[in-house]
Amino acid sequence: MKAIVFHQHGGPEVLHYEDAPQPAIPANEVLVRVKACALNHLDIWVRVGIPGVPFPLPHIPGSDVAGEIAQIGADVTTVRVGQKVVLAPGVSCGKCAACLAGQDNRCRQFTNLGYMIDGGCAEFVRCPEVNCLPFPENLSFEEAASIPLVFQTAWHMLVARAELQPGEDVLVLGAGSGVGSAAIQISKFFGARVIATAGNEAKLEKAKQLGADHVINHKSHKIRDEVRRITGKRGVDVVFEHVGTATWDESIASLAASGRLVTCGATTGYAAKIDLRFLFSRQLSLLGSYMGTKSELQTVMKLVTAGRLKPVIDRVFPLAEAAAAHTYLESGQQFGKVVLRI
Ligand SMILES: [Zn+2]
């Protein structure tokens, strides 16, 4: 099969479009003919390499897959060959206490397609039967592939971790990112007021179209000042963080008393500090969040099928141009998802 493979970590140039062996499947897995694979910032981290994480090389990246079942293992009973599917990115043991409690993103063996195992930037990918989700027939393959990772991540952050309530104020950083565009929609779905940030007027306009009530251009305005102005000096109940070093101080300063900051990443760096006086006297909560559960993703897919949550695609590249797609994603120009078509 054709696949995007890297044999060493590095820049986009390490991504090669080449022949790779078609995966063999065990009895409880399926082989999926990939039609579309959406990119995530995670793909860039995996390609560059993360200190202390021994990614198997050579490696096929790609976590967000939509396609058709090409082959099923002997024990597979819930999907058939030819069926269209969207894949849950998270792969876990299915047997431990966390998995049995439905908290598969807390499984010690949890990984994503394209992370410690080969992913979907290829003509075929293998995965456990339990990762197959019904295909939303109102969407194209490219749109369907744009949903799983960012929507389950944003849902887990806002609903499970921050416990967002109707009427609360949410500050969504980086509205143009995949998780940002998902967070705006989920926050509105739960009846919150959304303040979204982005670095140019075109992105701010798109954030408004997605439902943001207020927008802040973080290049021309100081986030904390605008949040204070919009909220009548109160601050927001929830800050949706994934940017890291570049926005951390603004995020903390934007919180109302008893506010919650929830974070799933740090695209601009891991270093952050906090003045402990504000943490305790203002009774702030700092919440870490990692991916999401299969159950949450099933809820998300229901809402996508009903048209209540919508994929946001910026640009589609052919699989062979994965390196160009990575370069584009790293440039930060996009609003929404960058997708590979296979
Ligand atoms: Zn487990």
Side-chain angles (χ1 to χ4, degrees):
M1 67 172 185
K2 287 293 182 192
I4 297 299
V5 182
F6 61 86
H7 296 258
Q8 65 195 73
H9 294 290
E13 71 282 355
V14 302
L15 300 172
H16 295 293
Y17 180 65
E18 62 185 43
D19 290 313
Q22 186 173 308
I25 52 167
N28 65 339
E29 295 204 358
V30 299
L31 186 70
V32 174
R33 183 185 302 278
V34 182
K35 296 287 191 179
C37 183
L39 298 184
N40 292 283
H41 241 278
L42 186 67
D43 295 288
I44 294 171
W45 294 121
V46 172
R47 190 202 72 218
V48 170
I50 302 171
V53 182
F55 293 109
L57 296 174
H59 189 65
I60 300 173
S63 301
D64 272 330
V65 174
E68 288 172 357
I69 302 284
Q71 195 184 327
I72 60 173
D75 294 344
V76 170
T77 57
T78 59
V79 290
R80 54 180 170 69
V81 172
Q83 183 178 333
K84 290 161 79 175
V85 286
V86 184
L87 300 184
V91 175
S92 66
C93 81
K95 299 169 184 175
C96 71
C99 282
L100 293 174
Q103 305 282 354
D104 43 303
N105 60 337
R106 297 184 187 180
C107 174
R108 290 184 67 180
Q109 293 181 37
F110 182 87
T111 191
N112 276 303
L113 295 175
Y115 196 70
M116 296 307 285
I117 54 178
D118 279 340
C121 290
E123 288 179 308
F124 294 94
V125 66
R126 54 170 272 214
C127 75
E129 175 184 10
V130 294
N131 284 62
C132 297
L133 300 170
F135 190 90
E137 288 297 341
N138 53 332
L139 303 188
S140 66
F141 282 115
E142 290 82 10
E143 289 171 326
S146 300
I147 297 288
L149 198 137
V150 291
F151 270 91
Q152 76 168 18
T153 299
W155 186 280
H156 191 69
M157 291 170 75
L158 290 167
V159 183
R161 301 295 282 137
E163 299 180 34
L164 182 63
Q165 301 298 313
E168 288 194 317
D169 289 340
V170 183
L171 173 64
V172 175
L173 295 170
S177 66
V179 281
S181 58
I184 292 171
Q185 296 184 62
I186 294 167
S187 299
K188 289 310 293 180
F189 179 80
F190 280 92
R193 179 168 70 153
V194 174
I195 305 169
T197 79
N200 67 51
E201 294 303 317
K203 288 185 182 182
L204 295 174
E205 188 50 44
K206 287 182 180 169
K208 279 187 189 166
Q209 288 168 12
L210 274 184
D213 299 278
H214 300 273
V215 291
I216 300 172
N217 185 329
H218 63 74
K219 293 239 169 79
S220 57
H221 292 77
K222 210 164 167 56
I223 293 172
R224 72 180 77 183
D225 294 344
E226 288 299 295
V227 166
R228 279 172 61 81
R229 184 181 62 75
I230 293 164
T231 61
K233 298 184 181 176
R234 179 177 172 273
V236 294
D237 301 286
V238 173
V239 173
F240 183 91
E241 245 294 342
H242 53 102
V243 181
T245 304
T247 53
W248 183 260
D249 291 346
E250 293 303 305
S251 293
I252 297 287
S254 297
L255 283 168
S258 300
R260 296 94 78 197
L261 181 153
V262 61
T263 180
C264 70
T267 46
T268 61
Y270 303 128
K273 60 177 171 48
I274 183 162
D275 186 327
L276 292 173
R277 283 174 301 176
F278 296 111
L279 182 66
F280 62 75
S281 67
R282 294 179 64 74
Q283 305 199 57
L284 307 178
S285 298
L286 303 179
L287 304 165
S289 189
Y290 189 68
M291 305 299 165
T293 70
K294 288 192 189 68
S295 158
E296 288 169 329
L297 186 52
Q298 292 200 357
T299 303
V300 163
M301 294 312 294
K302 266 194 241 172
L303 294 170
V304 168
T305 303
R308 307 293 299 273
L309 300 174
K310 293 185 171 67
V312 182
I313 294 183
D314 180 276
R315 197 164 156 189
V316 179
F317 291 77
L319 178 65
E321 293 174 22
H326 270 231
T327 301
Y328 180 66
L329 183 63
E330 283 181 290
S331 75
Q333 297 169 52
Q334 75 282 358
F335 190 96
K337 301 296 289 177
V338 178
V339 185
L340 299 177
R341 179 183 290 141
I342 289 88

Coordinates of all heavy atoms in Angstrom, one line a residue, residues 92-100 104 106-110, ligand 1:
S92 N -7.0 1.5 23.6 CA -6.6 1.1 25.0 C -6.8 -0.4 25.2 O -7.2 -1.1 24.3 CB -7.5 1.9 26.0 OG -8.9 1.5 25.9
C93 N -6.4 -0.9 26.4 CA -6.4 -2.3 26.6 C -7.8 -2.9 26.7 O -8.0 -4.1 26.4 CB -5.6 -2.6 27.9 SG -6.5 -2.4 29.5
G94 N -8.8 -2.1 27.1 CA -10.2 -2.7 27.2 C -10.4 -3.6 28.4 O -11.5 -4.1 28.5
K95 N -9.4 -3.8 29.2 CA -9.6 -4.8 30.3 C -9.3 -4.2 31.7 O -9.7 -4.8 32.7 CB -8.6 -5.9 30.1 CG -8.8 -6.6 28.7 CD -7.7 -7.6 28.4 CE -7.9 -8.2 27.0 NZ -6.7 -9.0 26.6
C96 N -8.6 -3.1 31.8 CA -8.2 -2.6 33.1 C -9.4 -1.8 33.8 O -10.4 -1.6 33.2 CB -7.0 -1.6 33.0 SG -7.4 0.0 32.2
A97 N -9.2 -1.4 35.0 CA -10.3 -0.8 35.8 C -10.7 0.5 35.1 O -11.9 0.8 35.0 CB -9.8 -0.5 37.2
A98 N -9.7 1.3 34.6 CA -10.1 2.5 33.9 C -10.9 2.3 32.7 O -12.0 2.9 32.4 CB -8.8 3.3 33.5
C99 N -10.5 1.3 31.8 CA -11.2 1.0 30.6 C -12.6 0.5 31.0 O -13.6 0.9 30.3 CB -10.5 -0.1 29.8 SG -9.1 0.5 28.9
L100 N -12.7 -0.4 32.0 CA -14.0 -1.0 32.3 C -15.0 0.1 32.9 O -16.2 0.0 32.8 CB -13.9 -2.1 33.3 CG -13.2 -3.3 32.7 CD1 -12.9 -4.4 33.8 CD2 -14.0 -3.9 31.6
D104 N -11.4 5.2 29.2 CA -10.3 4.6 28.4 C -9.1 5.6 28.2 O -8.0 5.1 28.0 CB -10.8 4.0 27.1 CG -11.8 4.9 26.4 OD1 -12.8 5.2 27.0 OD2 -11.5 5.2 25.2
R106 N -7.8 7.1 30.4 CA -6.9 7.0 31.6 C -6.2 5.7 31.7 O -5.5 5.4 32.7 CB -7.7 7.3 32.9 CG -8.3 8.7 33.0 CD -9.0 8.9 34.3 NE -9.7 10.2 34.2 CZ -10.4 10.8 35.2 NH1 -10.5 10.1 36.3 NH2 -11.0 11.9 35.0
C107 N -6.4 4.8 30.7 CA -5.8 3.5 30.7 C -4.3 3.7 30.6 O -3.8 4.5 29.8 CB -6.3 2.8 29.4 SG -5.5 1.2 29.1
R108 N -3.5 2.9 31.3 CA -2.1 3.0 31.2 C -1.5 2.7 29.9 O -0.4 3.1 29.5 CB -1.4 2.1 32.3 CG -1.7 2.7 33.7 CD -1.0 1.9 34.8 NE 0.5 2.0 34.7 CZ 1.4 1.4 35.5 NH1 0.9 0.7 36.4 NH2 2.6 1.6 35.3
Q109 N -2.3 1.9 29.1 CA -1.8 1.5 27.8 C -2.4 2.4 26.7 O -2.3 2.1 25.5 CB -2.2 0.0 27.5 CG -1.4 -0.9 28.4 CD -1.7 -2.4 28.0 OE1 -2.0 -2.7 26.9 NE2 -1.8 -3.2 29.1
F110 N -3.1 3.5 27.1 CA -3.8 4.3 26.1 C -2.8 4.9 25.1 O -1.8 5.4 25.5 CB -4.6 5.4 26.8 CG -5.3 6.3 25.9 CD1 -6.6 6.0 25.5 CD2 -4.7 7.5 25.3 CE1 -7.3 6.8 24.7 CE2 -5.5 8.3 24.5 CZ -6.8 8.0 24.1
Ligands
ZN1 ZN -7.1 -0.2 29.9

